[in-house]
């Protein structure tokens, strides 16, 4: 879960999210909201994402500002759950 959070939040290509689905949602002003362990236990879900599923949340009054922040400053808005996982990854990672 920590590695998944880091991949979605911290891994970048030219400053934007490396994952194309994450990049799509973040460009549209979403918040990286929740990572669900075994949220997709289908064979395809296991193969594609080790069964993890991600929720992106759209707060309608914030989508324009979130999108602008991501596109201009390359900053990702994320929930406390995701940020806590990212912090745990950073503390324990040798990357």
């Amino acid at each position: 879960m920590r590695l998944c959070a880091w991949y979605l939040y911290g891994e970048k290509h030219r400053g934007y999210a490396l994952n194309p689905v994450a990049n799509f949602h973040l460009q549209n002003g979403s918040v990286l909201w929740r990572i669900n362990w075994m949220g997709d236990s289908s064979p395809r879900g296991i193969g594609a994402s080790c069964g993890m599923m991600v929720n992106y949340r759209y707060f309608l009054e914030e989508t324009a500002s979130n999108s602008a922040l991501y596109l201009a400053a390359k900053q990702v808005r994320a929930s406390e759950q995701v940020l806590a996982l990212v912090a745990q990854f950073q503390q324990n990672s040798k990357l």
Side-chain angles (χ1 to χ4, degrees):
M1 297 258 305
R2 294 183 300 251
L3 181 59
C4 180
W6 175 253
Y7 170 67
L8 295 170
Y9 182 84
E11 289 298 320
K12 307 288 186 198
H13 175 71
R14 297 185 179 163
Y16 298 107
L18 183 61
N19 181 275
V21 174
N23 193 46
F24 170 82
H25 286 289
L26 295 169
Q27 283 183 23
N28 287 307
S30 73
V31 175
L32 181 52
W33 191 252
R34 182 173 48 218
I35 299 172
N36 304 293
W37 176 254
M38 295 305 287
D40 185 354
S41 59
S42 70
R44 183 173 183 216
I46 298 293
S49 63
C50 299
M52 287 188 237
M53 185 177 284
V54 179
N55 295 117
Y56 295 91
R57 188 164 178 187
Y58 288 85
F59 294 97
L60 295 181
E61 65 280 355
E62 298 175 9
T63 55
S65 61
N66 289 349
S67 177
L69 185 66
Y70 181 69
L71 293 171
K74 301 173 181 165
Q75 292 183 7
V76 174
R77 293 274 327 275
S79 70
E80 290 297 319
Q81 184 235 20
V82 173
L83 293 174
L85 289 168
V86 167
Q88 290 171 15
F89 173 82
Q90 290 174 318
Q91 288 174 349
N92 297 316
S93 174
K94 296 188 184 344
L95 295 179

